[in-house]
DNA sequence: ATATAAATTTAGATTAATCTAAAAATTTAT
DNA sequence: ATAAATTTTTAGATTAATCTAAATTTATAT
């Protein structure tokens, strides 16, 4: 039996639902729909409806039938804690255990559910209080706050614009390995040499080399413009 | 869905049962009884019977009704892996995250179920391949073997015998805190000054100081005689 | 050797989380 | 405005893990 911040019992499954709702609500203020939650968790809409009711009973979400859900303050705190743990563990795996950034997600999915406040705070200290995970995503602080930096998708940059790669939107192993192959990493300086209107591809310069990237790639790389 | 060494799916609960059976079979060759397993896991005998059947179906234990169970080779490997993970995580918590030896057990109970071979091997490397956990218990190697050292309970030492504290039998927080209070730690040099036949208490010397300990304490401290 | 006690198993329920299929509500398109 | 399509909910089952209470088997004591 494990108890959360508010002294209530919470299961691994409930945490996963709450995290999914949190991440769906990241952009915009719309409620998370039943189907979107089902997609995110690779489960069925009927399962989501059941769980949503339980989460509403426990005070983690506000729910009116057919209206989707939104996290309460309580729910947001739980979600931020899980995300904080997930991202700190990812940093640990890369910084201390020699993992590469495409290997950490699945293990962090497990580690994010370990319950111990001291553990996570000591881990934070061991890692010297990192602010971002290996994919450039911000790490919520103890109170659940994240300071969001101004970043844009590479896709939105104009010709001749310059910037630094600060994150990835798609964190799939396939995409991360593609980036490794072309020496694109967090911190890389990128210049847009040209844009092709026909297929929205781009020619960009990374350090000394020049490469052609597709619209798909450009839409999954976060850049801090300079 | 998680898969073990043999490619079979295994749940956290199954792992806990297998570990309990492993630890019950540590001394002697007798089968683990249904009730002893129930006690170890704080569950009911009827639940144990059900689970035992499932473990037998999966080939982790040999079971004949009313005869208790014994781990198969397959079961022993699973158990040793879980124990290895448990103890490596305990070392990590003490060595890298400033935990004391009385705080690590419950968290290791959670961490021992994290599935990643690379994770545990890298952790092993980070910790410089420790052979014992913070309570003096040996850490199984990758293939599940543990080299057991010759140790005896302090209770068995004669008057004037000397030894070094190499482990604790009772790993409860209460006992460990008692030991901290009297500056008894792994590595402490202990001399038996006298034994009291009446209540089996002892007077022992630790470094400069002399203390009286009860039979309960003497029966829970492992000593390497010198 | 029988009776009593203890250990173990079986039977039947319960809870969490899931699913499929069908019903109901909402949204979109004509 | 009505019909069609989509989304969401409900109904009914299933699986894993647990429990209580009763039945059965094994061990112990006279
Ligand atoms: Mn998760
Ligand atoms: Mn990440
Ligand atoms: Mn466990
Ligand atoms: Mn230990």
């Amino acid at each position: 039996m494990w108890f959360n911040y508010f002294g209530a019992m919470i299961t691994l499954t409930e945490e996963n639902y709450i995290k999914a709702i949190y991440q769906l609500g990241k952009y915009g203020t719309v409620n998370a729909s039943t189907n979107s939650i089902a997609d995110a968790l690779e489960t069925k809409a009927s399962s989501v409806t059941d769980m949503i009711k339980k989460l509403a009973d426990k005070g983690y979400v506000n729910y009116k039938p057919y209206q989707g859900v939104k996290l309460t303050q309580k729910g947001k705190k739980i979600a931020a804690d899980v995300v904080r743990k997930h991202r700190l563990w990812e940093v640990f795996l890369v910084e201390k255990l020699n993992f590469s950034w495409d290997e950490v997600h699945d293990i962090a999915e497990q580690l994010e559910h370990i319950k111990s406040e001291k553990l996570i705070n000591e881990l934070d200290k061991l890692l010297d209080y990192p602010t971002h995970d290996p994919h450039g995503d911000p790490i919520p602080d103890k109170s659940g706050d994240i300071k969001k930096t101004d970043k844009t998708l590479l896709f939105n940059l104009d010709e001749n614009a310059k910037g630094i790669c600060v994150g990835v939107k798609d964190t799939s192993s396939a995409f991360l390995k593609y980036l490794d192959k072309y020496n694109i990493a967090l911190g890389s300086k990128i210049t847009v040499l040209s844009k092709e209107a026909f297929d929205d591809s781009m020619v960009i310069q990374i350090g000394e080399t020049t490469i052609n990237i597709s619209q798909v790639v450009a839409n999954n790389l976060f850049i801090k413009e300079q």
Side-chain angles (χ1 to χ4, degrees), chain A:
Chain A
M1 291 293 183
W2 289 100
F3 301 88
N4 68 16
Y5 187 78
F6 304 98
M9 202 176 65
I10 191 160
T11 67
L12 180 149
T13 308
E14 288 168 350
E15 286 189 343
N16 281 340
Y17 273 89
I18 290 169
K19 187 179 69 155
I21 295 163
Y22 178 80
Q23 280 162 346
L24 285 167
K26 217 167 27 179
Y27 309 107
T29 179
V30 275
N31 289 1
S33 72
T34 301
N35 271 341
S36 65
I37 298 168
D39 282 353
L41 295 172
E42 295 181 276
T43 185
K44 302 290 160 162
S46 54
S47 305
V48 173
T49 302
D50 279 350
M51 179 57 80
I52 273 174
K53 286 177 187 167
K54 196 175 19 152
L55 295 178
D57 283 347
K58 292 190 170 189
Y60 299 131
V61 299
N62 290 123
Y63 167 66
K64 293 257 160 110
Y66 297 97
Q67 303 303 129
V69 284
K70 218 160 129 178
L71 291 176
T72 60
Q73 275 312 109
K74 219 167 130 177
K76 274 182 200 154
K77 179 71 171 81
I78 305 287
D81 275 351
V82 173
V83 169
R84 172 173 159 79
K85 287 191 276 182
H86 185 105
R87 294 179 179 165
L88 281 173
W89 278 116
E90 284 190 342
V91 174
F92 171 74
L93 292 173
V94 167
E95 295 296 318
K96 302 291 179 183
L97 297 191
N98 309 306
F99 278 75
S100 55
W101 67 344
D102 60 296
E103 298 175 311
V104 298
H105 185 77
D106 290 348
I107 304 175
E109 278 297 319
Q110 300 178 62
L111 287 163
E112 71 188 4
H113 302 290
I114 301 294
K115 266 85 172 178
S116 167
E117 219 177 305
K118 177 165 184 177
L119 169 56
I120 206 64
N121 289 334
E122 288 290 335
L123 192 65
D124 197 18
K125 191 202 288 181
L126 176 73
L127 301 172
D128 203 20
Y129 310 105
T131 57
H132 294 80
D133 83 1
H135 314 104
D137 290 314
I139 299 174
D141 66 21
K142 280 188 207 186
S143 41
D145 298 320
I146 54 177
K147 61 156 187 279
K148 63 170 190 171
T149 50
D150 50 336
K151 61 187 179 187
T152 184
L153 291 172
L154 175 53
F155 183 81
N156 299 322
L157 263 62
D158 296 321
E159 275 186 14
N160 299 315
K162 289 171 197 284
I164 289 182
C165 176
V166 294
V168 292
K169 190 171 166 201
D170 175 2
T171 60
S172 72
S173 180
F175 181 55
L176 298 174
K177 278 179 173 153
Y178 168 92
L179 296 178
D180 284 344
K181 188 166 158 189
Y182 291 103
N183 288 307
I184 305 173
L186 298 197
S188 294
K189 278 180 196 164
I190 293 179
T191 307
V192 179
L193 298 181
S194 67
K195 296 178 82 172
E196 179 60 65
F198 166 63
D199 64 354
D200 287 322
S201 69
M202 287 182 166
V203 182
I204 63 172
Q205 185 170 345
I206 309 265
E208 305 296 292
T209 60
T210 293
I211 58 171
N212 243 292
I213 61 167
S214 72
Q215 172 264 128
V216 178
V217 172
N219 259 316
N220 280 294
L221 267 183
F222 286 121
I223 303 295
K224 187 169 179 181
E225 234 183 312
Q226 291 188 311

